[in-house]
């Protein structure tokens, strides 16, 4: 909003200090600050209100870690509402609202946030860990993701040097490789977005476990968006230039700021859980940014922790159905390490470290060719 107002004002008046608003880096910093302040300001009042409304709080799996039933019982959920409030405030105030990439990512974030909210609401009201039907949820997630990808393909500016890029898959390191999927790209993009959303959802099982890795992945993709959206940097790094996608750096800043604000209350011991409201929305946002920047495959590196969490569940279920035995003591894999005797804080901090290392590996591919 402020960027649009600046453009209107700059056409008739010249105020040097307002020229800062034309820089994405400056607006990204303001988005971080704004989102964090909004979440922290909402925090205490929102948590008290949710405690009153939810009563027993988020249901804890009876077959889960035993101490969680005692330690985490009564903790309210739906903290993702706080995150989304800060995220949307930071984005709407400081991003270029004429940018199609901003609206595509916000579509997925809002849509997945609503799905997660309905899922959380069902669990809390029925006091069960089973929410919306898995098939129904996946179907709605796929529909929202395909709508966002369609928005990008139809309305985004075509790169002048490779107009087919909007429906093509690119590769790290081998940067000249380009596979044009045409309209099949809708399915591929939706697969990336839905997979990212559910991977983050599975990761969200311990206090702060999902929040920080999401911020780390978002910071990495914020840098990628800025670089591939700048012709000079993209050309130097031999990346495919994507006009307009650099504006997603502002969105990434707002997401990081809202994550920092939420971590103030979600740090162990958590006063509130983000729930599916937050995990689905944040995972979907990261997946959509990966699609928008044409760095979908790099997401498997930067978001390697989320991939491991998702695969641990898939492998555990598939192997159990086939043999009746388990590979992991418990899935997702962070519970496996708890069963091995690691404390919750040890698991969380070590997973944070792994996330940082994986993000650096993913960013290294920007230079390798």
């Amino acid at each position: 909003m402020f960027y649009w107002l600046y453009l209107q004002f700059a056409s008739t008046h010249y105020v040097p200090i307002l020229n800062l608003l034309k820089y994405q880096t400056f607006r990204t910093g303001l988005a971080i600050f704004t989102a964090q302040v909004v979440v922290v300001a909402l925090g205490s009042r929102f948590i008290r209100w949710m405690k009153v409304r939810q009563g027993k709080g988020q249901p804890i799996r009876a077959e889960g870690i035993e101490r969680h039933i005692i330690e985490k019982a009564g903790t309210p959920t739906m903290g993702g509402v706080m995150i989304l409030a800060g995220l949307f405030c930071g984005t709407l105030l400081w991003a270029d609202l004429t940018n199609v990439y901003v609206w595509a990512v916000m579509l997925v974030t809002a849509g997945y946030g609503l799905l997660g909210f309905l899922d959380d609401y069902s669990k809390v009201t029925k006091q069960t860990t089973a929410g919306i039907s898995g098939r129904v949820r996946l179907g709605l997630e796929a529909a929202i993701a395909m709508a966002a990808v369609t928005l990008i393909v139809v309305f985004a500016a075509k790169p002048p040097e490779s107009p087919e890029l909007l429906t093509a898959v690119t590769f790290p390191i081998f940067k000249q490789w380009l596979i044009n999927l045409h309209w099949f790209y809708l399915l591929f993009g939706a697969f990336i977005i839905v997979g990212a959303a559910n991977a983050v959802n599975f990761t969200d099982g311990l206090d702060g476990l999902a929040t920080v890795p999401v911020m780390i992945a978002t910071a990495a993709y914020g840098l990628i968006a800025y670089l591939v959206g700048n012709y000079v940097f993209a050309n130097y790094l031999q990346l495919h230039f994507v006009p307009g996608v650099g504006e997603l750096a502002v969105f990434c800043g707002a997401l990081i700021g809202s994550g920092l604000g939420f971590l103030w209350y979600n740090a162990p011991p958590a006063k509130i859980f983000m729930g599916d409201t937050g995990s689905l929305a944040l995972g979907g946002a990261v997946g959509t940014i990966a699609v928008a920047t044409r760095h979908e495959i790099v997401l498997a590196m930067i978001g390697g922790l989320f991939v491991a969490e998702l695969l641990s569940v898939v492998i555990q279920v598939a192997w159990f159905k086939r043999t009746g035995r388990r590979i992991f003591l418990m899935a997702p894999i962070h519970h496996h390490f708890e069963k091995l005797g690691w404390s919750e804080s040890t698991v969380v901090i070590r997973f944070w470290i792994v996330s940082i290392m994986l993000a650096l590996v993913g960013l290294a591919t920007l230079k390798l060719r």
Side-chain angles (χ1 to χ4, degrees):
M1 183 182 74
F2 285 122
Y3 180 73
W4 179 83
L5 291 174
Y6 157 74
L7 292 179
Q8 306 306 310
F9 186 80
S11 63
T12 56
H13 300 79
Y14 177 71
V15 181
I17 193 171
L18 293 182
N19 284 336
L20 289 171
L21 291 174
K22 71 181 180 182
Y23 296 107
Q24 291 170 346
T25 49
F26 180 73
R27 287 185 285 115
T28 299
L30 289 175
I32 294 173
F33 177 77
T34 301
Q36 184 175 1
V37 168
V38 169
V39 175
V40 172
L42 278 176
S44 297
R45 294 183 182 87
F46 182 80
I47 292 171
R48 286 196 299 267
W49 186 75
M50 293 304 284
K51 279 185 176 180
V52 173
R53 300 291 296 178
Q54 294 183 14
K56 295 181 180 180
Q58 176 172 298
I60 308 298
R61 290 168 55 188
E63 68 276 13
I65 304 297
E66 294 79 5
R67 61 181 179 79
H68 286 188
I69 300 175
I70 300 173
E71 297 175 1
K72 300 182 184 297
T75 304
T77 186
M78 298 185 186
V81 173
M82 296 164 54
I83 298 175
L84 295 181
L87 173 58
F88 288 140
C89 282
T91 302
L92 292 173
L93 286 176
W94 301 110
D96 177 5
L97 300 184
T98 64
N99 186 289
V100 66
Y101 291 109
V102 171
W103 287 108
V105 176
M106 288 181 65
L107 169 64
V108 172
T109 306
Y112 281 24
L114 177 60
L115 280 178
F117 180 86
L118 294 174
D119 201 42
D120 287 335
Y121 183 80
S122 176
K123 292 176 183 177
V124 170
T125 53
K126 297 176 182 178
Q127 278 300 298
T128 175
T129 55
I132 299 174
S133 164
R135 290 184 178 180
V136 172
R137 198 175 81 172
L138 282 175
L140 292 173
E141 288 173 7
I144 294 170
M146 290 183 71
V149 178
T150 302
L151 189 63
I152 292 172
V153 172
V154 173
F155 295 103
K158 290 180 172 58
E161 297 179 355
S162 50
E164 73 278 11
L165 183 63
L166 291 179
T167 55
V169 179
T170 63
F171 297 87
I173 303 176
F174 305 101
K175 298 179 182 180
Q176 301 306 316
W177 288 9
L178 201 67
I179 300 179
N180 193 350
L181 300 180
H182 301 285
W183 285 102
F184 286 106
Y185 185 79
L186 296 183
L187 296 176
F188 176 75
F191 173 77
I192 296 295
I193 295 170
V194 172
N198 287 279
V200 174
N201 185 236
F202 281 125
T203 306
D204 183 34
L206 300 176
D207 299 349
L209 179 59
T211 307
V212 173
V214 164
M215 288 193 293
I216 293 169
T218 301
Y221 267 104
L223 177 59
I224 291 173
Y226 180 74
L227 293 175
V228 300
N230 185 295
Y231 181 80
V232 175
F233 292 141
N235 186 56
Y236 171 72
L237 294 169
Q238 296 185 14
L239 302 171
H240 293 283
F241 171 54
V242 185
V245 82
E247 197 63 26
L248 287 182
V250 181
F251 178 91
C252 290
L255 199 158
I256 293 169
S258 58
L260 288 171
F262 182 71
L263 190 62
W264 185 267
Y265 302 100
N266 187 237
K271 296 181 180 179
I272 190 169
F273 301 137
M274 73 164 67
D276 291 355
T277 308
S279 59
L280 282 179
L282 298 184
V286 173
T288 310
I289 295 168
V291 169
T293 57
R294 297 302 182 268
H295 277 69
E296 307 94 339
I297 294 177
V298 175
L299 181 60
M301 304 177 197
I302 292 176
L305 176 66
F306 306 128
V307 175
E309 293 275 10
L310 178 61
L311 287 179
S312 70
V313 174
V314 173
I315 293 170
Q316 183 88 321
V317 172
W319 188 254
F320 185 78
K321 285 183 177 180
R322 182 172 181 177
T323 66
R325 294 181 303 221
R326 293 178 173 84
I327 294 178
F328 305 104
L329 296 177
M330 187 175 177
I333 198 168
H334 55 262
H335 290 318
H336 171 79
F337 289 107
E338 282 193 290
K339 287 284 190 179
L340 288 176
W342 292 19
S343 67
E344 179 174 345
S345 59
T346 299
V347 175
V348 170
I349 293 174
R350 286 179 177 174
F351 275 39
W352 289 355
I353 295 171
V354 170
S355 294
I356 294 172
M357 295 170 63
L358 290 172
L360 293 175
V361 170
L363 289 175
T365 64
L366 297 177
K367 187 62 179 172
L368 296 175
R369 52 188 179 272

